[in-house]
Amino acid sequence: MGKPKKKDLPDLSQLCVPGMEIAVRAAPKAARNAIVPAEGVLKISVTAAPENGKANDAVRSLLAAAMGTTATNLVLRRGATSRDKVFVYNGPA
């Protein structure tokens, strides 16, 4: 996965609240990486295949880039093998 350009991603910096749960609907093996805000959930498309956690890592990295933080500040709480995932922000405010 190539590093996404910040200008191509929506500004999700308002989600950088410690303990905030972020609901995500993942779409692996997409044509390109993208984030589309929808009703109560973020639809994230990644080019990575859903094998050996590659798609989860790609979703985490793309979400972190849009939030303006590092991927290590995001923890996958639910949905490791599901398309519906919940990440928790554990970084500074």
Side-chain angles (χ1 to χ4, degrees):
M1 177 181 99
K3 192 167 187 173
K5 294 181 175 70
K6 182 69 174 155
K7 66 179 176 120
D8 295 338
L9 299 174
D11 180 23
L12 299 177
S13 59
Q14 74 275 9
L15 298 177
C16 290
V17 177
M20 175 171 262
E21 291 188 346
I22 304 160
V24 169
R25 174 81 174 174
K29 293 183 76 172
R32 63 184 186 94
N33 294 330
I35 297 178
V36 178
E39 296 178 20
V41 69
L42 293 173
K43 294 182 180 181
I44 301 180
S45 303
V46 293
T47 58
E51 51 191 32
N52 299 326
K54 291 178 186 175
N56 287 338
D57 292 339
V59 168
R60 178 184 288 124
S61 297
L62 195 62
L63 180 59
M67 291 173 65
T69 187
T70 62
T72 57
N73 288 335
L74 292 171
V75 176
L76 181 61
R77 176 160 295 165
R78 284 192 305 267
T81 59
S82 172
R83 293 181 69 159
D84 295 315
K85 302 176 183 309
V86 175
F87 286 93
V88 177
Y89 178 73
N90 287 334

